[in-house]
Amino acid sequence: MIVRAVLASLALLSAPVAPALAFSSSAVEATVIAPTRQTLTTPDGRAVSLSIWTAPDERGVVVFSHGFGGAPEAYQRLLSAWAAHGFTVIAPLHVDSQQHPDHSANGQVALTTRLEDLALTREAAAREHTGEPMIVAGHSFGSLMSLIAGGATTILGPQGDPAVKGVIALSSPGPIPVVVTPETYRTLTAPLLVVTGDQDIVPGYADDWRDHRLPFDTAPQGDKSLIVVAGGGHQLPATAEGEQFDLLVRATEDFLDAYALGDTEAKARLDALSAPGVIVEHR
């Protein structure tokens, strides 16, 4: 009963993310790639809608999981930038999305269907993009899904995917009783980039922005990076503008290049990252 109650309460993990329609004049946004749609079918017949940002010159694949109640298009600017950089982005629309035709705000349903959605999406990515390295990424509740794929162990047991080359966790979840414990990230050996801000508050789940540090602080040392943006709130990945958005794009693209492609120069740039109003840590 405790587990069921906790999973049901996951509906509070993140407020819905509205689509970011206003584009800044940043140079990193010069190439805008619109998503196409594809549908997968689960073994029990459930349809999973995918939004796909196809890289014109593909070098890798990112499987992305949106925040609770949100939708992939809310992150259009960032996902388009990754595609323009050479990484096709594939993002399922989860049933907790307010845009899903069979919308459910039940936390237990959201967790189990998300894990199924993303496993199917990774299988499709491996099948349709043969030989391309894969990174997983997500925002808020979606970052928990990506951390699980990267090797984190929750109450549901290990569900890591050995094909995953690295994890980008945008506003990772803080401790969640029973589900996310101090031991959850001890098994997270994949390279990790956590991005948060000092205003990244989620009442009841991250009452202190430092709660978002948990994966970075407790995962095994090695290839772990943390970026903290001054003034950055919970919706930073969808709402960042100007220099903040440029920083987010540069850091995540260097991570993609470093750990998907083995680019040592990109890793050196990530290791040396520095900007006003930004704290960067590595371990």
Side-chain angles (χ1 to χ4, degrees):
M1 292 298 293
I2 290 177
V3 174
R4 180 170 297 179
V6 170
L7 293 176
S9 70
L10 286 171
L12 300 175
L13 187 58
S14 174
V17 183
L21 300 178
F23 279 36
S24 75
S25 60
S26 168
V28 299
E29 297 184 272
T31 301
V32 177
I33 295 173
T36 58
R37 302 290 187 273
Q38 181 178 330
T39 301
L40 300 177
T41 304
T42 65
D44 64 358
R46 184 171 56 86
V48 180
S49 176
L50 305 180
S51 295
I52 303 173
W53 285 260
T54 301
D57 185 13
E58 186 176 275
R59 301 182 295 153
V61 177
V62 177
V63 173
F64 183 85
S65 182
H66 62 73
F68 193 98
E73 283 70 21
Y75 312 90
Q76 156 71 18
R77 296 177 301 147
L78 180 60
L79 306 188
S80 175
W82 290 351
H85 189 65
F87 287 80
T88 292
V89 181
I90 310 174
L93 181 71
H94 300 300
V95 297
D96 54 84
S97 172
Q98 293 186 352
Q99 297 184 19
H100 198 285
D102 298 316
H103 169 69
S104 172
N106 180 286
Q108 185 172 4
V109 171
L111 179 59
T112 56
T113 57
R114 275 175 175 258
L115 290 172
E116 185 176 35
D117 293 349
L118 291 162
L120 284 172
T121 302
R122 294 194 303 272
E123 290 173 4
R127 183 174 61 250
E128 298 175 15
H129 302 265
T130 305
E132 299 287 16
M134 183 188 304
I135 297 288
V136 292
H139 173 232
S140 192
F141 192 20
S143 74
L144 176 59
M145 303 299 104
S146 299
L147 290 159
I148 291 171
T153 305
T154 66
I155 189 65
L156 300 178
Q159 298 193 36
D161 187 335
V164 170
K165 301 293 185 183
V167 179
I168 299 175
L170 306 171
S171 191
S172 56
I176 302 174
V178 180
V179 179
V180 176
T181 73
E183 302 302 314
T184 292
Y185 302 116
R186 304 289 186 195
T187 54
L188 179 61
T189 57
L192 171 66
L193 173 62
V194 173
V195 181
T196 186
D198 62 8
Q199 301 299 313
D200 190 352
I201 306 298
V202 184
Y205 288 94
D207 294 314
D208 186 324
W209 71 265
R210 296 170 185 82
D211 291 339
H212 298 292
R213 297 181 54 107
L214 186 63
F216 172 78
D217 287 336
T218 60
Q221 187 169 350
D223 295 318
K224 307 297 189 295
S225 298
L226 169 72
I227 296 174
V228 181
V229 179
H234 192 61
Q235 310 299 0
L236 180 69
T239 61
E241 296 286 351
E243 292 182 359
Q244 282 190 347
F245 184 73
D246 289 352
L247 172 76
L248 180 61
V249 172
R250 288 198 306 271
T252 53
E253 289 182 350
D254 281 340
F255 182 89
L256 292 172
D257 290 352
Y259 294 106
L261 306 180
D263 185 333
T264 56
E265 293 183 0
K267 186 176 185 305
R269 288 194 301 270
L270 183 62
D271 290 344
L273 180 66
S274 177
V278 176
I279 297 172
V280 183
E281 298 180 32
H282 305 283
R283 59 186 296 273

